[in-house]
Amino acid sequence: MNRLLWARLEQELQRDAGMPHAYYEVLVHLSEAPGRRLRMSQLAERSLSSPSRLSHAVNRLERLGWVVREALPADRRCQIAVLTDAGFAALAAAAPGHVEGVRTHLFDALTPEQVRQLGDICQAIVQRINAVPCRQCAPPTRPRTGTVPDS
């Protein structure tokens, strides 16, 4: 269900607004930030993106004129992503269709009680994910070439 829903929303956002969801998400985070600006590290954290993946997205958004990067005066190594007026306009144009898609494909399929239950379920899952350390997150180790793992 999750992958099917996200695939549909991605297709509709691409068709209607000409942008992938990852770019839409970057624009949303910037639009909600004070002064429409965030450090790249904060933006990566908020979008649950790696710094390199975020940098690639911001490069594309810069070419579209929707975002600019600025150096932080106090620390020239730090980059700030800034949402431009054109980027805000692109987000404002894309948002109604995307919100309608979420409503149509998710919320309209549920009763008010199911929406409440979904909220409770999602909250419980997020709390669990945040409470349990990720022991599996380290990359797996591979046996050296020519060796056979213990059986």
Side-chain angles (χ1 to χ4, degrees):
M1 181 282 311
N2 186 51
R3 291 190 343 202
L4 186 60
L5 174 62
W6 279 107
R8 177 61 60 90
L9 294 172
E10 176 80 23
Q11 291 166 348
E12 290 177 354
L13 197 54
Q14 285 277 10
R15 180 196 67 210
D16 298 341
M19 74 175 79
H21 192 271
Y23 296 1
Y24 179 86
E25 186 177 1
V26 168
L27 298 179
V28 167
H29 288 302
L30 289 173
S31 75
E32 294 172 344
R36 297 184 189 166
R37 58 192 334 109
L38 282 171
R39 289 176 183 244
M40 290 288 287
S41 59
Q42 292 172 309
L43 188 54
E45 185 178 302
R46 290 181 186 188
S47 61
L48 301 177
S49 182
S50 70
S52 63
R53 184 172 180 209
L54 176 66
S55 184
H56 175 74
V58 170
N59 285 341
R60 178 73 174 122
L61 293 170
E62 281 185 299
R63 286 194 297 275
L64 292 168
W66 295 351
V67 172
V68 294
R69 278 191 244 210
E70 298 174 352
L72 186 64
D75 183 357
R76 308 285 277 150
R77 295 171 297 168
C78 178
Q79 297 239 314
I80 306 292
V82 182
L83 181 64
T84 65
D85 290 341
F88 188 79
L91 176 62
H98 183 60
V99 169
E100 180 60 30
V102 172
R103 181 175 293 117
T104 298
H105 302 305
L106 179 61
F107 293 107
D108 288 352
L110 303 175
T111 67
E113 177 60 19
Q114 289 172 322
V115 170
R116 188 196 62 72
Q117 291 170 344
L118 179 62
D120 291 346
I121 291 166
C122 291
Q123 185 177 17
I125 292 169
V126 168
Q127 287 174 347
R128 177 66 176 185
I129 289 169
N130 289 333
V132 176
C134 183
R135 294 180 297 271
Q136 316 306 322
C137 292
T141 57
R142 295 185 179 164
R144 285 178 271 157
T145 305
T147 64
V148 178
D150 294 337
S151 45

